[in-house]
Amino acid sequence: MSEATAAGSGIGVRPYAELTFDAEGDVDPGTRDAVAALEATDLLVFAHGWNSDRATSTRLFDRFYAPFPGLVGSGVRLGYVGVVWPSIRFSDEPIPDFDPHGALAEPGHGTALDPATLRALGEFWPGRVAELDRVAELLEDRPESAAAFTEFGALVRELAGVDVVDAPDAAGAVDAAVLAGSAGAAVAGPAVRDVPALFALDVLEVCRALTAGLAEAGAPSGDAAGPGFSPGGGLRALWSGAKELLRQATYYQMKKRAGVVGERGLGPVLAELAGRRPALRIHLIGHSFGARVVSFSLRAVPDGARYVKSATLLQGAFSHYAFTDRLPHDKGSGGALRGMQRRVDGPVVACHSPFDSALKVFYPLASRMAGDSAGLLGFDERWGAIGHDGVQAVPGAPRLTLETALRAGIPEAGCVSVDTGSVVRRGGPPSGAHSDICHEELARLVVAAGRMGR
């Protein structure tokens, strides 16, 4: 049995194939050929978000795809694709109705890294065993020492591939292009001068803000409400914020990778496939940073091509201004994906939920952290995520409830925001409902967007 065939053995729908990319966006040729061989009129292409390995991703694809065969019309022959790329999900971020029963009620492992997460981090950052072991040791011991936090911050920066040594003004130079969704963002990652302030500010200040963010998201308080918020005392309480800093470092890395995999990997593969099979209708689906993967794949769609028939973004972890021609806070710039919705011969549906703590609290916190400690937890819409409040600053883009979208239908083209909070609402801290996406209602939304229904 080939690797491509074996990879799909845990999927209940057929025909199915996985499309695998490395961190640079290079596709595994065997998986590319397996996708090309699928016999279908309509191809569903689903990119996962923060799943740490192929087995976890395959289980998610299986659960999400399960309702589709019973939803489409008789003239539609579906083919199913799972896009697998190097990402990570901490094991204390369970997916409702997906992870073991009772996982949502567990408070996790405190600040210590459980073995599964440590293994996943080792796969995400290969060759960094010594650094990860020391990070794990610090998170488990929680030394009440400013020097220990300084060491931890340096290790996290090294793992994330950022360097602030030669950037004396980095504390005031948040990477606005990457984090605010500017069209000037370089896919390959920021230069030294563009190091996000999350990694450039004093590590105690960052951990203090992230600890407060955890409290806002409803994480178990432990001693987070204790003296950790007072200068010079209670540093032990701030290790919960330190663990969140490590989590944010993986998000930072995944965000960069997602753009690379989408634009340099998935996009060209789908363009080549469409060139060989011009009648094939392709429907893009992405969760979290996977929504960024499929959205950035639109950059590789040739002018005038009409093979992408819909794009459904589930709790997208990128800027809500990504598709705008003009940023409200910078009229001379547009979003990183400005105009890309016009490369879809159908709608771009942005699903959002107010119960997503990852995007409501931590995405904007990490995006805007620029040194003003008094305002670190204040909402600033400049830093919002598309999966939190939908598409912003795109004229004529309707905003619908899930019930309205399913009852009355979805516009035939352009950006559409759909509040899915009626079903995407379950999940514990720190991510809330961010991964609560396995619902038949969302499958029906994909079908409606792609005009595949009965």
Side-chain angles (χ1 to χ4, degrees):
M1 180 180 292
S2 71
E3 180 182 355
T5 303
S9 60
I11 295 291
V13 294
R14 288 291 187 272
Y16 172 83
E18 283 179 359
L19 191 56
T20 302
F21 297 91
D22 65 16
E24 285 72 44
D26 293 326
V27 66
D28 176 273
T31 66
R32 179 192 58 206
D33 295 344
V35 169
L38 295 179
E39 292 295 331
T41 60
D42 292 74
L43 201 64
L44 303 179
V45 180
F46 183 15
H48 66 72
W50 48 49
N51 296 284
S52 58
D53 55 31
R54 170 172 281 165
T56 303
S57 303
T58 299
R59 289 171 57 215
L60 179 60
F61 297 145
D62 178 53
R63 178 64 66 91
F64 186 82
Y65 277 147
F68 280 87
L71 300 177
V72 299
S74 58
V76 175
R77 298 193 313 276
L78 290 179
Y80 303 87
V81 175
V83 177
V84 179
W85 58 287
S87 65
I88 183 173
R89 177 172 61 93
F90 278 55
S91 64
D92 59 0
E93 298 175 2
I95 300 176
D97 292 332
F98 177 78
D99 286 306
H101 179 71
L104 291 176
E106 297 175 1
H109 299 76
T111 62
L113 295 176
D114 63 278
T117 296
L118 190 56
R119 285 195 302 272
L121 287 169
E123 295 174 3
F124 188 68
W125 284 313
R128 296 301 185 94
V129 174
E131 293 92 334
L132 287 169
D133 283 348
R134 179 56 178 159
V135 161
E137 182 181 7
L138 288 169
L139 287 173
E140 183 168 2
D141 294 346
R142 296 193 299 164
E144 201 154 359
S145 159
F149 278 92
T150 299
E151 179 188 3
F152 183 86
L155 287 167
V156 170
R157 286 195 300 269
E158 186 173 348
L159 289 168
V162 298
D163 182 7
V164 299
V165 174
D166 298 322
D169 61 339
V174 177
D175 181 6
V178 173
L179 296 175
S182 167
V187 173
V192 170
R193 67 178 181 277
D194 291 328
V195 170
L198 179 70
F199 303 114
L201 291 174
D202 176 77
V203 67
L204 283 175
E205 184 71 14
V206 171
C207 291
R208 189 169 283 113
L210 291 174
T211 300
L214 285 166
E216 181 180 331
S221 59
D223 37 72
F229 291 98
S230 61
L235 296 182
R236 188 175 175 85
L238 300 186
W239 284 102
S240 59
K243 183 178 182 180
E244 184 59 33
L245 178 61
L246 177 64
R247 194 191 312 264
Q248 291 294 330
T250 68
Y251 297 169
Y252 172 77
Q253 193 74 39
M254 282 192 290
K255 189 168 188 175
K256 293 193 295 180
R257 283 186 186 177
V260 170
V261 170
E263 182 172 356
R264 300 179 182 174
L266 179 60
V269 167
L270 294 180
E272 179 185 3
L273 177 61
R276 294 163 57 184
R277 298 173 59 183
L280 185 65
R281 295 161 44 90
I282 295 175
H283 307 275
L284 302 176
I285 310 162
H287 169 235
S288 185
F289 287 120
R292 183 176 172 90
V293 170
V294 299
S295 296
F296 272 72
S297 77
L298 296 174
R299 286 181 164 181
V301 175
D303 290 339
R306 313 304 293 171
Y307 56 86
V308 178
K309 298 300 181 180
S310 68
T312 305
L313 314 178
L314 306 169
Q315 302 310 115
F318 61 98
S319 174
H320 57 191
Y321 292 136
F323 292 100
T324 188
D325 289 332
R326 293 187 178 183
L327 296 171
H329 51 279
D330 182 2
K331 298 296 185 181
S333 299
L337 297 168
R338 63 179 177 188
M340 289 296 106
Q341 66 269 30
R342 291 186 279 275
R343 298 194 179 185
V344 179
D345 188 25
V348 174
V349 181
C351 299
H352 58 96
S353 169
F355 303 105
D356 185 333
S357 300
L359 300 184
K360 178 180 180 180
V361 177
F362 292 105
Y363 180 93
L365 176 60
S367 296
R368 71 176 176 265
M369 193 174 282
D372 179 9
S373 60
L376 286 178
L377 292 177
F379 181 73
D380 180 345
E381 64 180 16
R382 180 164 76 139
W383 306 113
I386 199 169
H388 169 61
D389 57 2
V391 175
Q392 301 292 324
V394 175
R399 307 185 66 82
L400 309 174
T401 65
L402 177 61
E403 293 72 18
T404 299
L406 294 179
R407 183 183 68 253
I410 297 172
E412 294 185 359
C415 291
V416 184
S417 298
V418 178
D419 184 343
T420 58
S422 59
V423 296
V424 180
R425 59 188 305 115
R426 294 179 302 148
S431 297
H434 184 71
S435 294
D436 186 18
I437 62 168
C438 295
H439 297 281
E440 181 178 325
E441 293 88 345
L442 299 184
R444 290 169 57 199
L445 195 66
V446 173
V447 170
R451 304 298 190 267
M452 295 177 283
R454 295 174 173 175

